[in-house]
Amino acid sequence: MTSLAKRPGPARHAGAEAYPGQRQPTAPSRSGAARGPRVRPRAVRPQKESGRVSARVVLAVIGLGAIVVIALWWRSTPDVSGLGGWLTGAGEALGLLAGYGVVVLVALMARLPPLERGIGTDHLARWHAMGGRYVVSVVWAHALLIVWGYAVRAHASVTSETATLLTQYPDVLMATVGGFLLLGVGLISMRAARRRVRYETWYYLHLYTYLAIALAFSHQFADGAAFVNNLAARFWWSAMYLTVAVLIAWYRFVVPLRAFARHRFHVIGLRQEGPGVVSVYIGGSRLDELDAEPGQFFRWRFLTRSMWWSSHPYSLSAAPGKDMLRITVKDLGDHSRALARLKPGTRVIAEGPYGAFTGSGSGSGSGRGVVLLAGGVGITPLRAMFATLPGRVTLIYRASSPHDVVFADELDAIAAARGAIVHYVVGSRAELGGDPLSPRVLRSLAPGLIEQDVYVCGPDGMAAAAITALRAAGVPKRSIHRESFEF
């Protein structure tokens, strides 16, 4: 196995990060990429836990809201009798749950700081994706049950009753259009389809969700039995939608623009880290006020002619400094490829920091130790954490070939400076003679593994296999922290 370990060196204060990338700007190289500027990282302060919420609390609130919605349906529903009545009643209940569900889905991705810091964007995105499948199913189950129930009551065929509802009931046609929009977004968001669609295409098609919600909202008030003669229900239902709309506008538009005016983000320089991998150094003023932590990410919008209209999430690849941040990106598409052509002075809108993939709450300061397990370009957030986490830290870096290893010089320097250990596990399974991240190998690379917190970041396949191996090695589930690339 190709595994290189650096012996511990003298300990160093976590805030005094040093690495070979700390250079003054130089003339551009022949490739046109400037060297990385000097970074002055600040000492990282643990974030206050009081501003975070737990997953259980959020799920409990969502569940309580669903109970209230069912109670609203029960209160507005007269005695149910006959097959038609039961079908219609079930359809109306599902319609209310669908209307509530779309609001929950939007709120989960509204980038609310307590949710982002307490649960993490990748977890919220998984909830959003799973909830989206349920909501789309509920929307169409609602439509089918309503049509079927009305057809039974009218002693008509489902086909003729469908035509009647579309042509004679207010806003049903608009709601049907909204339902098809939701179905289309759901289909294109499926894993198999998502991998074949450019991020920008997926993102802008996803915006049609808002149009679908607006169409459905009108339909609910026009035809929903719970709202027709209930002014209080109309008021609170509208307040729920309006509150989420205000949160979206505030955190997705007002806050980023205010931060842009205050911190004046701009590109300072670039550094080529390896084939298809570039670091972008972003300067600004009073960046310490952002309270960013190593392991977190921002959504970056670079204000060039071809890039201003889309923002992409990239993790910090170095500890945040007072006047500079660094991200490192691999060429995986049009947007990431264009970053290598950025020019110094390019203005940037940065949204964040986001994510709960940080060392806050880990056992690093208690003597338990921390293991960082990176795969490929998943090293970027772990690189920042490796330099700043206190206590005993072991980094295991998995790569398919030497060309895929990024920051080797920096990692070696950090390991020597702070007394940490870094292992490079490089090569294919065939070259290494087996599973390079098996439970036995992981235990050998990180003695005392089961007593430590483990942070995993890398491609989905590698991360899933690593987590399976960690669990087989005896690491408790609560001690494994993962950052997903897909959100």
Side-chain angles (χ1 to χ4, degrees):
M1 174 177 296
T2 306
S3 176
L4 306 177
K6 304 302 292 185
R7 294 184 179 276
R12 188 173 182 133
H13 188 271
E17 179 184 354
Y19 53 90
Q22 292 181 333
R23 299 190 179 106
Q24 295 291 346
T26 62
S29 64
R30 292 184 180 180
S31 65
R35 291 288 187 182
R38 182 177 178 84
V39 179
R40 300 181 182 86
R42 62 184 176 85
V44 179
R45 303 189 303 271
Q47 296 293 311
K48 295 181 179 179
E49 297 296 324
S50 59
R52 306 186 178 196
V53 295
S54 70
R56 290 182 179 180
V57 170
V58 174
L59 292 175
V61 171
I62 293 174
L64 180 61
I67 293 174
V68 172
V69 169
I70 293 297
L72 174 63
W73 167 79
W74 182 264
R75 184 178 182 278
S76 61
T77 302
D79 293 336
V80 179
S81 61
L83 177 60
W86 281 106
L87 291 173
T88 303
E92 291 174 348
L94 290 180
L96 288 172
L97 288 173
Y100 170 69
V102 294
V103 173
V104 171
L105 292 180
V106 173
L108 289 177
M109 302 307 291
R111 302 172 191 171
L112 308 181
L115 296 183
E116 294 283 347
R117 292 182 179 272
I119 299 174
T121 302
D122 56 335
H123 285 84
L124 292 173
R126 284 196 288 271
W127 289 4
H128 178 84
M130 180 179 65
R133 291 190 288 270
Y134 284 116
V135 167
V136 171
S137 300
V138 168
V139 166
W140 284 99
H142 152 73
L144 293 174
L145 288 172
I146 288 291
V147 172
W148 189 8
Y150 277 40
V152 170
R153 284 181 165 183
H155 302 288
S157 68
V158 170
T159 303
S160 63
E161 192 62 28
T162 300
T164 299
L165 287 172
L166 290 174
T167 58
Q168 298 184 16
Y169 281 72
D171 297 332
V172 170
L173 180 59
M174 290 196 303
T176 303
V177 172
F180 277 109
L181 288 174
L182 287 177
L183 179 62
V185 171
L187 291 175
I188 204 169
S189 297
M190 294 175 64
R191 187 180 297 270
R194 176 70 182 86
R195 290 173 175 172
R196 291 173 171 79
V197 177
R198 293 171 63 243
Y199 172 85
E200 291 80 7
T201 302
W202 171 86
Y203 177 82
Y204 282 104
L205 287 176
H206 221 71
L207 294 180
Y208 281 104
T209 301
Y210 296 111
L211 174 59
I213 292 173
L215 294 174
F217 180 83
S218 175
H219 160 66
Q220 291 172 76
F221 275 11
D223 302 302
F227 304 111
V228 172
N229 296 313
N230 191 335
L231 182 61
R234 294 168 69 95
F235 172 81
W236 289 110
W237 199 259
S238 300
M240 178 178 66
Y241 274 71
L242 181 60
T243 298
V244 173
V246 170
L247 290 174
I248 287 285
W250 181 260
Y251 285 109
R252 290 200 175 186
F253 299 100
V254 177
V255 170
L257 290 175
R258 187 177 63 178
F260 174 69
R262 181 174 183 80
H263 299 292
R264 300 192 296 275
F265 302 104
H266 60 281
V267 174
I268 290 181
L270 307 177
R271 182 186 180 190
Q272 200 73 32
E273 302 289 357
V277 180
V278 63
S279 286
V280 182
Y281 292 79
I282 299 164
S285 62
R286 297 177 290 187
L287 300 186
D288 53 323
E289 296 178 2
L290 295 169
D291 283 332
E293 292 185 80
Q296 291 187 306
F297 70 94
F298 287 75
R299 294 181 183 271
W300 306 93
R301 188 184 301 272
F302 296 91
L303 302 183
T304 68
R305 180 174 298 180
S306 62
M307 301 173 71
W308 67 268
W309 46 271
S310 65
S311 65
H312 287 247
Y314 298 121
S315 299
L316 298 176
S317 61
K322 184 177 181 180
D323 55 5
M324 189 176 298
L325 304 172
R326 186 182 79 172
I327 60 174
T328 302
V329 182
K330 185 175 183 179
D331 179 358
L332 295 174
D334 294 343
H335 188 274
S336 52
R337 187 177 306 120
L339 294 181
R341 300 191 296 269
L342 287 173
K343 296 180 180 179
T346 300
R347 295 188 177 276
V348 186
I349 295 177
E351 302 175 50
Y354 296 130
F357 190 71
T358 69
S360 298
S362 73
S364 58
S366 63
R368 288 178 53 197
V370 170
V371 176
L372 308 177
L373 182 50
V377 78
I379 187 63
T380 49
L382 298 182
R383 153 64 184 83
M385 296 170 69
F386 188 49
T388 54
L389 284 175
R392 179 165 55 99
V393 182
T394 301
L395 171 64
I396 302 172
Y397 190 174
R398 173 77 177 103
S400 298
S401 71
H403 297 294
D404 295 324
V405 176
V406 185
F407 304 134
D409 292 341
E410 295 185 15
L411 297 173
D412 292 343
I414 292 169
R418 61 164 297 160
I421 296 175
V422 55
H423 296 280
Y424 300 94
V425 184
V426 182
S428 66
R429 289 193 173 212
E431 293 171 334
L432 298 174
D435 184 357
L437 297 179
S438 67
R440 178 185 59 81
V441 172
L442 292 174
R443 284 193 296 262
S444 68
L445 295 178
L449 175 66
I450 64 174
E451 300 175 352
Q452 303 182 64
D453 283 289
V454 183
Y455 290 80
V456 181
C457 187
D460 273 0
M462 169 267 169
I467 291 174
T468 299
L470 289 168
R471 297 290 290 122
V475 180
K477 185 177 180 180
R478 66 178 180 276
S479 298
I480 300 175
H481 315 273
R482 179 188 175 187
E483 176 83 326
S484 173
F485 282 177
E486 295 189 0
F487 55 84

